[in-house]
Amino acid sequence: TTVLPRFGKARVLVADDSAVNREVACEALSRLGVAAETVNDGREAYEAVIARPYDLVLMAGSMPDLDGFEATRLIRAHEAETGRAPTPVVALTAH
Protein backbone atom coordinates (compact mmCIF):
# COMPACT_ATOMS: atom_id res chain seq x y z
CA THR A 1 0.00 0.00 0.00
CA THR A 2 1.04 3.57 -0.63
CA VAL A 3 1.59 5.74 2.40
CA LEU A 4 0.42 9.28 1.74
CA PRO A 5 2.05 12.26 3.44
CA ARG A 6 0.09 13.87 6.28
CA PHE A 7 -0.56 17.58 6.55
CA GLY A 8 -2.76 17.65 9.63
CA LYS A 9 -1.78 21.17 10.66
CA ALA A 10 -2.36 22.70 7.22
CA ARG A 11 -5.03 25.39 7.05
CA VAL A 12 -6.83 24.87 3.75
CA LEU A 13 -9.88 26.68 2.40
CA VAL A 14 -12.07 25.20 -0.33
CA ALA A 15 -14.22 27.76 -2.18
CA ASP A 16 -16.84 26.39 -4.56
CA ASP A 17 -20.53 27.07 -5.12
CA SER A 18 -21.19 23.35 -5.65
CA ALA A 19 -21.74 21.27 -2.51
CA VAL A 20 -20.67 18.14 -4.41
CA ASN A 21 -17.38 19.75 -5.50
CA ARG A 22 -16.69 20.93 -1.95
CA GLU A 23 -17.35 17.41 -0.65
CA VAL A 24 -15.06 15.81 -3.23
CA ALA A 25 -12.25 18.27 -2.48
CA CYS A 26 -12.62 17.81 1.28
CA GLU A 27 -12.61 14.03 0.94
CA ALA A 28 -9.43 14.12 -1.14
CA LEU A 29 -7.78 16.47 1.37
CA SER A 30 -8.85 14.29 4.30
CA ARG A 31 -6.75 11.46 2.87
CA LEU A 32 -3.77 13.74 3.54
CA GLY A 33 -4.92 14.49 7.07
CA VAL A 34 -6.31 17.92 6.17
CA ALA A 35 -9.60 19.08 7.67
CA ALA A 36 -10.43 21.84 5.19
CA GLU A 37 -12.77 24.73 5.80
CA THR A 38 -15.31 25.51 3.08
CA VAL A 39 -17.11 28.54 1.71
CA ASN A 40 -19.81 28.84 -0.95
CA ASP A 41 -18.56 31.69 -3.13
CA GLY A 42 -15.80 34.14 -3.92
CA ARG A 43 -17.04 36.82 -1.53
CA GLU A 44 -16.99 34.34 1.37
CA ALA A 45 -13.53 33.19 0.28
CA TYR A 46 -12.22 36.76 0.25
CA GLU A 47 -13.69 37.46 3.69
CA ALA A 48 -12.26 34.22 5.12
CA VAL A 49 -8.75 34.87 3.79
CA ILE A 50 -8.79 38.44 5.09
CA ALA A 51 -9.94 37.23 8.51
CA ARG A 52 -7.27 34.54 9.02
CA PRO A 53 -4.26 33.07 7.25
CA TYR A 54 -4.46 29.92 5.17
CA ASP A 55 -1.66 27.74 3.85
CA LEU A 56 -3.64 27.04 0.68
CA VAL A 57 -6.89 28.08 -0.99
CA LEU A 58 -8.57 25.86 -3.56
CA MET A 59 -10.83 28.24 -5.49
CA ALA A 60 -13.39 27.52 -8.18
CA GLY A 61 -13.07 29.93 -11.07
CA SER A 62 -16.72 30.16 -12.02
CA MET A 63 -19.05 31.16 -9.18
CA PRO A 64 -22.02 33.52 -9.02
CA ASP A 65 -21.73 37.03 -7.58
CA LEU A 66 -17.93 37.16 -7.13
CA ASP A 67 -16.04 34.57 -9.14
CA GLY A 68 -12.78 33.00 -8.04
CA PHE A 69 -10.66 35.15 -10.33
CA GLU A 70 -12.02 38.42 -8.96
CA ALA A 71 -11.85 37.07 -5.39
CA THR A 72 -8.18 36.25 -5.94
CA ARG A 73 -7.54 39.76 -7.33
CA LEU A 74 -9.13 41.23 -4.20
CA ILE A 75 -7.05 38.94 -1.98
CA ARG A 76 -3.86 39.99 -3.80
CA ALA A 77 -4.77 43.67 -3.49
CA HIS A 78 -5.35 43.27 0.25
CA GLU A 79 -2.04 41.43 0.65
CA ALA A 80 -0.22 44.19 -1.24
CA GLU A 81 -1.83 46.92 0.88
CA THR A 82 -1.07 45.21 4.18
CA GLY A 83 2.31 43.67 3.35
CA ARG A 84 0.95 40.22 4.06
CA ALA A 85 2.67 37.31 2.33
CA PRO A 86 0.75 35.96 -0.69
CA THR A 87 -1.57 33.06 0.04
CA PRO A 88 -1.21 30.23 -2.47
CA VAL A 89 -4.44 30.03 -4.49
CA VAL A 90 -5.06 27.09 -6.82
CA ALA A 91 -7.83 27.44 -9.37
CA LEU A 92 -10.30 24.58 -9.61
CA THR A 93 -12.72 23.70 -12.36
CA ALA A 94 -15.21 20.92 -12.75
CA HIS A 95 -15.20 21.31 -16.55
Side-chain angles (χ1 to χ4, degrees), residues 37-57:
E37 297 176 35
T38 63
V39 293
N40 300 314
D41 60 40
R43 187 154 319 280
E44 290 179 7
Y46 170 72
E47 291 169 358
V49 171
I50 298 312
R52 60 195 161 279
Y54 287 92
D55 299 307
L56 177 67
V57 176

Side-chain angles (χ1 to χ4, degrees), residues 41 43 63-67:
D41 60 40
R43 187 154 319 280
M63 292 184 281
D65 184 29
L66 186 68
D67 70 23

